[in-house]
């Protein structure tokens, strides 16, 4: 369907097997996964993640699209969009950037590219994202790309330190 999406500063391209080492470079860091139910990853877990992503890409009809985030020919993160409801045309985005590249606008650009892909290519009606309320940077990204804060989902994710609330953001196609 699509193997890459070009932005101003980043390229999103289909995840490839050799990307597992770059994935591991960020997924093994506690700061990266502090608000996630996974990680820090072992090498085996990072390799298995990329393997699973590649298997998901071969499923027809496809519902999961995971892209390596490329800056200056280097993998610095991942961006993902999942079709969560075909009937109601809803999708969910997520992104992760290596901390060496935080605060450079890459997560914002990745989010914009994923949303655009979701509306233009996947013909979605609504795209949403969630983030931990403590993750101020991620909340700012979602607001910056035009998503509306719909509220707080209480204790919806079990993390290592207990139940986590999530902030729910969304954007509709006509708002994009």
């Amino acid at each position: 369907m699509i193997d890459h999406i070009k932005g101003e500063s980043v390229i999103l391209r289909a995840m490839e097997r050799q990307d597992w080492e770059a994935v591991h470079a960020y997924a093994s860091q506690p700061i990266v996964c502090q608000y996630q139910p996974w990680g820090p990853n072992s090498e085996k877990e990072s390799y298995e993640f990329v393997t699973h992503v590649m298997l998901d890409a071969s499923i027809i009809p496809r519902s999961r699209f995971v892209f390596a985030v490329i800056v200056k020919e280097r993998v610095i993160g991942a961006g993902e969009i999942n079709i969560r409801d075909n009937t109601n045309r809803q999708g969910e985005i997520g992104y992760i950037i290596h901390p060496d590249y935080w605060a450079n606008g890459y997560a914002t650009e990745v989010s914009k590219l994923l949303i655009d892909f979701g509306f233009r290519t996947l013909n979605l009606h609504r795209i949403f994202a969630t983030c931990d309320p403590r993750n101020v940077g991620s909340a700012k990204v979602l607001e910056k790309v035009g998503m509306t804060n719909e509220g707080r989902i209480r204790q919806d994710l079990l993390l290592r330190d207990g139940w986590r609330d999530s902030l729910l953001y969304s954007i509709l196609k006509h708002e994009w």
Side-chain angles (χ1 to χ4, degrees):
M1 175 185 258
I2 191 159
D3 61 347
H4 76 281
I5 302 168
K6 187 165 177 22
E8 288 182 30
S9 304
V10 305
I11 294 172
L12 302 183
R13 73 146 165 75
M15 189 80 64
E16 299 172 355
R17 186 158 320 279
Q18 68 269 16
D19 292 334
W20 79 267
E21 290 183 68
V23 168
H24 187 67
Y26 60 78
S28 61
Q29 298 187 40
I31 194 168
V32 172
C33 51
Q34 66 183 327
Y35 303 123
Q36 302 299 328
W38 54 267
N41 282 9
S42 65
E43 286 188 355
K44 181 180 180 212
E45 289 167 326
S46 295
Y47 184 82
E48 288 173 350
F49 166 76
V50 173
T51 299
H52 191 74
V53 163
M54 294 180 69
L55 286 172
D56 286 348
S58 67
I59 295 172
I60 299 172
R62 189 170 175 187
S63 63
R64 183 180 190 204
F65 300 83
V66 182
F67 299 96
V69 177
I70 313 292
V71 172
K72 297 179 183 171
E73 299 181 21
R74 170 177 245 143
V75 176
I76 65 150
E80 180 168 351
I81 185 164
N82 289 280
I83 300 171
R84 297 293 188 203
D85 182 337
N86 281 308
T87 303
N88 295 300
R89 299 182 6 235
Q90 294 188 49
E92 178 180 14
I93 64 165
Y95 46 83
I96 192 154
I97 302 293
H98 191 294
D100 289 351
Y101 298 89
W102 287 357
N104 288 302
Y106 297 132
T108 300
E109 186 173 356
V110 168
S111 297
K112 287 178 180 177
L113 292 171
L114 292 170
I115 291 168
D116 198 63
F117 175 72
F119 288 140
R120 291 180 193 266
T121 305
L122 302 178
N123 192 32
L124 296 174
H125 168 70
R126 178 178 182 269
I127 296 173
F128 66 93
T130 61
C131 73
D132 189 305
R134 299 169 293 181
N135 192 344
V136 176
S138 192
K140 285 182 180 178
V141 165
L142 298 173
E143 290 168 5
K144 214 182 290 185
V145 299
M147 295 183 112
T148 299
N149 183 337
E150 293 186 347
R152 185 182 209 102
I153 306 168
R154 299 180 317 145
Q155 297 189 1
D156 73 316
L157 196 57
L158 184 58
L159 301 182
R160 292 165 292 287
D161 61 347
W163 286 102
R164 173 194 116 170
D165 290 358
S166 292
L167 298 179
L168 175 64
Y169 288 84
S170 75
I171 188 165
L172 304 176
K173 188 172 190 172
H174 75 268
E175 296 169 333
W176 186 247

